[in-house]
């Protein structure tokens, strides 16, 4: 269950990255992808049951290289890594936040495997969340902590800088702060929300450079 954004589509005519539109697009796609989980076909019955209980999604992006080139940032630079780190952090944090919002709004799911059937489930999170609640939240906390490592380019001697770096870092922190706080209350509808696929074939259909 995969989907990818063409990052160049979020570049405004003024040459800035549209962070609110990016976050809104994540919300829309995560909701749509979760709806697809129980309407999809799976190669075996066991995989189908597991997919129902854990509901893994694979939201990603394509055309990062073109966006880096549009901003004059080399791949192998602190600035390039900071920019890529922010875009990835926002996408993943916002996706988990939306997954938690879906869990809050939806009725509890029937468990499909013996392990999840043995656990009491009170909310609309995926049945697998209730089996792994504390380890799951620990992973979210670790992702949230890693956001604090973004921004090394601001003290670098390299002649490159990331436009909107402070704004991008603030958005990254906001996504993960909210994803954790909301998830502690309501859990998450999906055990996994993002994956960076190669997008080699669909990139042509998405008008990637």
């Amino acid at each position: 269950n995969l989907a990818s954004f063409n990052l160049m589509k979020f570049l405004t005519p003024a040459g800035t990255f549209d962070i609110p539109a990016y976050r809104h697009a994540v919300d829309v796609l995560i909701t749509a992808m979760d709806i697809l989980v129980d309407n999809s076909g799976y190669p075996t019955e066991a995989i189908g049951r597991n997919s129902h209980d854990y509901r893994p999604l694979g939201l990603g992006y394509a055309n990062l290289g073109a966006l880096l080139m549009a901003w004059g940032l080399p791949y192998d630079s602190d600035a390039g890594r900071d920019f890529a780190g922010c875009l990835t952090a926002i996408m993943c944090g916002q996706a988990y936040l939306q997954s938690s919002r879906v869990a809050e709004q939806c009725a509890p799911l029937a468990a499909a495997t013996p392990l999840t059937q043995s656990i009491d489930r009170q909310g609309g999170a995926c049945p697998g969340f209730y089996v792994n609640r504390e380890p799951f939240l620990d992973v979210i906390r670790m992702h949230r902590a890693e956001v604090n490592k973004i921004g090394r380019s601001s003290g670098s001697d390299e002649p490159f800088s990331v436009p909107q770096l402070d704004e991008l870092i603030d958005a990254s922190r906001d996504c993960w702060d909210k994803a954790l706080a909301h998830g502690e209350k309501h859990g998450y509808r999906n055990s996994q929300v993002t994956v960076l696929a190669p997008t080699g074939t669909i990139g042509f259909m998405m008008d990637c450079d």
Side-chain angles (χ1 to χ4, degrees):
N1 192 349
L2 305 175
S4 296
F5 293 122
N6 179 350
L7 290 177
M8 284 294 288
K9 300 297 183 181
F10 297 97
L11 198 62
T12 70
T16 60
F17 191 83
D18 193 338
I19 299 171
Y22 185 49
R23 294 180 67 169
H24 176 69
V26 171
D27 290 346
V28 172
L29 262 292
I30 287 296
T31 304
M33 292 169 75
D34 183 71
I35 292 169
L36 285 173
V37 169
D38 292 317
N39 294 290
S40 299
Y42 298 96
T44 68
E45 185 178 340
I47 291 174
R49 289 196 300 268
N50 202 59
S51 295
H52 172 83
D53 274 0
Y54 294 90
R55 310 181 76 80
L57 306 180
L59 181 61
Y61 57 61
N63 228 12
L64 173 64
L67 187 54
L68 287 168
M69 287 188 280
W71 275 9
L73 301 177
Y75 280 95
D76 187 17
S77 67
D78 289 333
R81 283 184 284 273
D82 276 346
F83 186 39
C86 285
L87 296 183
T88 310
I90 292 169
M91 180 178 67
C92 192
Q94 187 70 30
Y96 273 119
L97 172 58
Q98 182 64 9
S99 179
S100 186
R101 289 169 176 161
V102 173
E104 177 187 13
Q105 296 295 322
C106 289
L109 290 159
T113 59
L115 178 61
T116 55
Q117 288 168 351
S118 66
I119 300 294
D120 183 40
R121 302 174 308 282
Q122 300 294 328
C126 64
F129 172 77
Y130 300 101
V131 177
N132 299 292
R133 185 183 190 279
E134 291 310 313
F136 197 129
L137 290 172
D138 282 343
V139 170
I140 299 296
R141 292 183 187 106
M142 286 189 283
H143 279 297
R144 178 173 172 259
E146 287 298 308
V147 172
N148 294 320
K149 296 181 181 178
I150 303 173
R152 291 173 179 168
S153 63
S154 59
S156 173
D157 294 331
E158 296 175 343
F160 311 107
S161 61
V162 182
Q164 302 170 258
L165 180 59
D166 290 341
E167 186 182 357
L168 287 162
I169 292 175
D170 287 345
S172 302
R173 288 176 176 152
D174 184 62
C175 289
W176 282 104
D177 285 347
K178 290 178 177 176
L180 175 60
H182 210 273
E184 286 175 334
K185 293 180 181 179
H186 304 287
Y188 303 91
R189 186 77 167 181
N190 313 95
S191 61
Q192 178 180 326
V193 289
T194 58
V195 63
L196 294 183
T199 65
T201 303
I202 65 169
F204 293 112
M205 301 175 67
M206 294 167 64
D207 192 32
C208 291
D209 295 294

